[in-house]
Amino acid sequence: MILNSFKNLFILATLCVTQSMFAQNEVVTFPDYFTIRLGISNSFNSYQITNEIIQEKILISPNQEVTSTITFLFRSLEIDIGFAPQFLNFNNDDDKKGDSKLFVLNLRSYLGKWMQSIDLYSTKGFYVSKASFDLPEDDYITLPDLKTFKIGGSTSYIFNDSFSFRAISFQNEWQRKSAGSFIPKLAYYFTKVEDSSTGESSEFFDVAIGPSYHYNWVLHENFIFSLGGFAGIGANFSKTRYENSAYNKNFNSIAYDLAGRISIGYNSDRFYTGITNTYNLFFYHEDRSTGIEDEQIFFEFYLGY
């Protein structure tokens, strides 16, 4: 399925790129505006381990927290900080899932047609889904000492000058006419997972390259709807260490990366607002029978000026 998605996206990008590259579209820029954006988001990183021989799936997730995000934007730099304040008292509303702590930092910059993003995720406190074992309907296995640290990002090249990625993520440009662009991307992430209760730790490095295509539909002078997807192939390099043991487990594997983005926004001369949902999945095999899915989901509602 992953290979078919990769093939279909590549065909779609090939068919659309010629038309989009030569479209005559307007993009209004605000290069000297300093803007601040406030948002409410639900962002988390989960892991699914599948054993194909015994047909067992283990889903490891944090207790999803609603976080506040504050973003500073000026010229070609965006800084996005996410945290879970105490006044959002509906966080961790299910005590049986345990307590999770989350911090997110995103950076994005533009240099000509190049777009660079850097992401940092720090999470402590996970639980194992009841669907993974023969547990009561409302019970979970909590892993309070399990923590993950992920840092990485992507480097992309936007072919079409008439397409504005900033109009959907940066908000210092305003797309006036519908346009799309073929955007090849190189993605890379380093992840460290450790459990202080067992002394076990693992490190993963994922890298993938592939095509993506994004399109902005201008629904009205001030409203825009955007949809895009990415399919990449690369490699995973992993290492696991065990406490009080000289044995380290190392393995390398082919990795697949799937990503998608959907957003709708309103933009005026001074004010903007919108909703964004992004999804990213790295998939690889630890061995012939064990597959691992590293999934990142981000949903945000924001207001900016």
Side-chain angles (χ1 to χ4, degrees), residues 189-210:
Y189 283 94
F190 168 81
T191 305
K192 184 173 183 179
V193 181
E194 55 184 339
D195 190 335
S196 59
S197 64
T198 63
E200 182 178 335
S201 65
S202 298
E203 296 178 355
F204 309 93
F205 179 71
D206 300 292
V207 59
I209 188 170

Side-chain angles (χ1 to χ4, degrees), residues 15 21 35 45 56 58 69-71 100 106 116 162 169 194 207 221 233 252 283 285 305:
L15 293 174
M21 287 181 64
T35 62
N45 193 178
E56 182 183 67
I58 300 175
T69 56
I70 182 169
T71 307
S100 296
N106 306 111
Q116 176 66 49
S162 298
S169 68
E194 55 184 339
V207 59
E221 181 181 3
I233 187 171
N252 304 324
F283 174 81
H285 273 85
Y305 180 81

